[in-house]
Amino acid sequence: MDGSTPFITVALCTHNHADRLARTLETLADLHPPGRPWELLVIDNGCTDATPTLLARTAWHPAGVAVRVVREERLGLSNARNRALREARGEYLLFMDDDETPDPEWLRAYEQAMEAFEPDALGGRIEVFFEDGVRPRWLQDELLGFLGKLDHGEARWLDAPGTPIFGGNFAFRRGVFDTIGDFDARLGRMGKANIGGEDTEIYRRLLAHGCRVRWVPQAIIHHRIQTPKLRRGYFLDLHFRQGRTEGSAKRGSGRRIPPPYLIAQWLRALGRAAGLRLRTGADHSLRMEMNAAYFCGFLLGWMRDRG
């Protein structure tokens, strides 16, 4: 690798979020540059708002950094990330979202871990910031992870399924995708469809292939939470769609009639959610209601969707 070849490619995928993207691009000027060259790759995922006009300007370009903008017409976050795999030039590919503010030391923290440990993948800490300054009473701490908050504590290797790295702040050695395959295009946000799960799926695939995943708590991203996500329906819809996707995949080519144990799980989830809401009120029952929404989606996906 010569002095002009980037060591890190930062990939920022965006779809129809021109207002929040503008703020994110402005924050890149505050990054403390790493010791080795890096490039910024922006994937315009079929944007139909003001995003292409915004990206056509150059005033937001970080000083001294190669910037490229690529348009990916196939809608879906995973399709955009897979396009980034094809376009990136860096040895490591680092992903961020269009509604985030990186800590000034973000890139340096990742660079230090990459050089010291040469991992196959890395993940960093994500803090949530309520952009409108209002946190609903029903938004208990246990739910913040569904808004992207992530903290696995001290720096270490991650090797358990329950310690995933999240898509708003993770990195990969670019060559690892030759081993584990691309992002699953069936998962991840797709336009307005509130689909998730692509980041935990690829993390588990990393573990299944024996890849080395490093946790870098000093690489901090602040996820800016907007008002539309501060609705109970956002959480319920997220889990319903996840359940539907997983139900269809679990059935595969089998019978569309669900087995009795799934019916029993569904009924138990509904009963627990209803009981907790009656006992404690709506401010404390959302997590259980999300479980019920998941099983509703799982059954629907099993019975109706193509596996």
Side-chain angles (χ1 to χ4, degrees):
M1 179 179 296
D2 61 42
S4 62
T5 302
F7 179 57
I8 298 173
T9 295
V10 174
L12 195 165
C13 304
T14 186
H15 173 72
N16 284 355
H17 292 151
D19 52 348
R20 67 183 71 168
L21 174 64
R23 181 172 175 184
T24 296
L25 294 175
E26 289 176 1
T27 68
L28 298 180
D30 297 326
L31 285 172
H32 297 160
R36 300 168 72 172
W38 67 284
E39 66 168 350
L40 176 63
L41 175 64
V42 181
I43 306 296
D44 170 353
N45 190 203
C47 293
T48 58
D49 64 352
T51 296
T53 302
L54 168 64
L55 294 177
R57 303 174 188 141
T58 59
W60 57 266
H61 288 196
V65 178
V67 176
R68 287 183 292 138
V69 176
V70 176
R71 186 171 175 90
E72 172 55 57
E73 295 291 357
R74 292 175 300 169
L75 197 59
L77 179 56
S78 289
N79 285 326
R81 286 177 175 157
N82 288 335
R83 181 63 181 272
L85 302 184
R86 311 288 176 260
E87 298 286 344
R89 297 169 182 163
E91 181 176 340
Y92 279 94
L93 179 55
L94 172 54
F95 288 98
M96 67 178 297
D97 289 339
D98 58 14
D99 56 356
E100 296 181 328
T101 298
D103 181 86
E105 290 292 327
W106 181 59
L107 277 177
R108 289 183 178 178
Y110 269 127
E111 181 188 46
Q112 290 170 5
M114 292 166 180
E115 292 184 331
F117 300 101
E118 299 183 348
D120 298 303
L122 311 89
R125 184 153 59 97
I126 304 176
E127 298 292 345
V128 295
F129 170 74
F130 296 97
E131 205 161 36
D132 299 315
V134 179
R135 176 178 172 178
R137 288 190 303 173
W138 52 261
L139 186 55
Q140 305 293 317
D141 287 349
E142 64 178 348
L143 302 177
L144 294 180
F146 299 107
L147 293 175
K149 182 176 173 61
L150 185 67
D151 188 352
H152 293 317
E154 297 298 318
R156 58 192 174 102
W157 295 103
L158 300 178
D159 56 10
T163 56
I165 51 179
F166 283 179
N169 188 14
F170 60 12
F172 303 85
R173 183 186 296 279
R174 191 155 49 93
V176 80
F177 292 95
D178 294 334
T179 300
I180 69 172
D182 292 353
F183 288 92
D184 188 338
R186 299 169 299 176
L187 303 176
R189 294 190 308 274
M190 192 169 297
K192 295 183 178 180
N194 191 18
I195 304 170
E198 82 289 349
D199 41 13
T200 53
E201 187 277 333
I202 206 162
Y203 169 70
R204 289 169 182 167
R205 214 186 318 155
L206 284 164
L207 297 186
H209 282 83
C211 297
R212 301 163 68 244
V213 183
R214 187 70 182 174
W215 173 247
V216 188
Q218 298 86 0
I220 303 169
I221 280 280
H222 299 274
H223 183 204
R224 306 189 307 270
I225 307 300
Q226 295 82 32
T227 299
K229 288 185 178 180
L230 298 181
R231 298 179 293 105
R232 297 171 64 90
Y234 171 83
F235 292 85
L236 296 173
D237 181 62
L238 179 68
H239 279 68
F240 176 82
R241 290 179 182 271
Q242 180 182 355
R244 187 164 182 171
T245 300
E246 294 183 6
S248 172
K250 182 69 173 179
R251 191 201 78 233
S253 59
R255 297 173 67 241
R256 291 184 180 270
I257 300 175
Y261 78 88
L262 282 181
I263 301 294
Q265 287 180 329
W266 171 61
L267 291 173
R268 281 197 298 270
L270 289 175
R272 289 169 179 167
L276 185 61
R277 181 154 184 168
L278 287 172
R279 292 193 307 272
T280 65
D283 286 348
H284 302 280
S285 62
L286 181 56
R287 185 66 183 91
M288 200 67 70
E289 292 174 37
M290 290 158 57
N291 289 342
Y294 171 86
F295 278 107
C296 288
F298 196 98
L299 279 177
L300 184 63
W302 185 291
M303 294 185 293
R304 293 189 56 182
D305 298 340
R306 182 178 301 174

